Amino acid sequence: MCYMFHLKVTDVKGNSDIDTAVVEVWPDPKKNGLVELILQIEVGQLTEQQKDTLVQQLAELLDVLHTDINIQKIHAYSDISTAVVFYVQNGHPYKVIKASDVAQVLRLRLLKEKPDFLRFKVLRVDTAACLLKCSGHGSCDPITKHCICYQMWMENLIQRYLNNGESNCGELGRTQ
């Protein structure tokens, strides 16, 4: 999206000049790569050393992707939990890996590890932004990351639970 700004300056003698500036705004290229990890620890109790250890442990879990972990922000999710928002990149030049792929790999790897591998209980791993298209028949709830289907449509549970595990408002779920 482009924005055009015009600036006109006039001095006390009435002389003036006009200049124009164009500002082009691009969407954040990392948006589709942001992953949200919810940990059961108060944000104020998370030390810098624990944050560094967390990044190292995430890198170990995601080593199958040969990646670099980049923390975007850490904030309180609730009174007893903290959200760690990060993206993963690999290659040269660096390419941001899709958040849905990272979240899926992370969930699978965490299932195989000891419950205390990350030192804190993991409450949820998901994409930070709601990226679901909901089969074009609904909208994605930004909190639950599930589709809210439009009237006359419902979730295709076969696709959800037997295929890719993604919430949807599929054709097979259409009601009469």
Side-chain angles (χ1 to χ4, degrees):
M1 183 168 276
C2 289
Y3 297 92
M4 189 176 297
F5 296 93
H6 301 283
L7 176 65
K8 180 178 181 180
V9 178
T10 306
D11 66 13
V12 291
K13 295 180 184 175
N15 298 319
S16 65
D17 196 11
I18 297 175
D19 202 358
T20 302
V22 176
V23 177
E24 195 169 348
V25 179
W26 293 82
D28 184 356
K30 297 175 188 102
K31 180 183 176 192
N32 290 340
L34 293 176
V35 177
E36 186 176 62
L37 177 68
I38 309 297
L39 302 172
Q40 188 174 344
I41 182 174
E42 292 179 36
V43 72
Q45 294 180 342
L46 194 61
T47 67
E48 286 300 317
Q49 183 178 5
Q50 290 171 325
K51 291 174 192 174
D52 293 341
T53 301
L54 176 65
V55 169
Q56 291 171 352
Q57 291 172 322
L58 286 171
E60 286 177 36
L61 286 172
L62 296 169
D63 72 339
V64 296
L65 299 175
H66 308 290
T67 59
D68 291 327
I69 311 292
N70 299 283
I71 303 289
Q72 276 297 90
K73 70 178 174 178
I74 297 175
H75 61 91
Y77 189 76
S78 72
D79 292 345
I80 61 164
S81 62
T82 299
V84 179
V85 179
F86 65 96
Y87 65 94
V88 178
Q89 61 186 16
N90 68 0
H92 292 286
Y94 283 114
K95 178 182 174 234
V96 175
I97 299 173
K98 285 178 24 185
S100 55
D101 294 344
V102 173
Q104 184 177 19
V105 168
L106 195 52
R107 276 189 223 104
L108 292 172
R109 297 295 300 248
L110 283 170
L111 285 173
K112 294 177 182 177
E113 294 296 333
K114 293 180 280 186
D116 61 345
F117 178 78
L118 289 179
R119 292 184 72 182
F120 310 108
K121 182 178 180 182
V122 175
L123 301 177
R124 191 174 90 204
V125 177
D126 211 336
T127 59
C130 199
L131 304 174
L132 297 174
K133 301 206 183 335
C134 301
S135 308
H137 305 292
S139 61
C140 189
D141 183 307
I143 304 298
T144 64
K145 312 283 192 308
H146 290 107
C147 290
I148 299 171
C149 300
Y150 297 146
Q151 214 170 21
M152 304 299 290
W153 291 89
M154 62 184 278
E155 186 163 25
N156 179 342
L157 297 176
I158 294 170
Q159 180 180 343
R160 170 96 186 260
Y161 293 108
L162 297 178
N163 191 10
N164 61 8
E166 194 173 275
S167 182
N168 64 81
C169 297
E171 187 70 37
L172 292 177
R174 188 166 185 213
T175 60
Q176 301 299 324

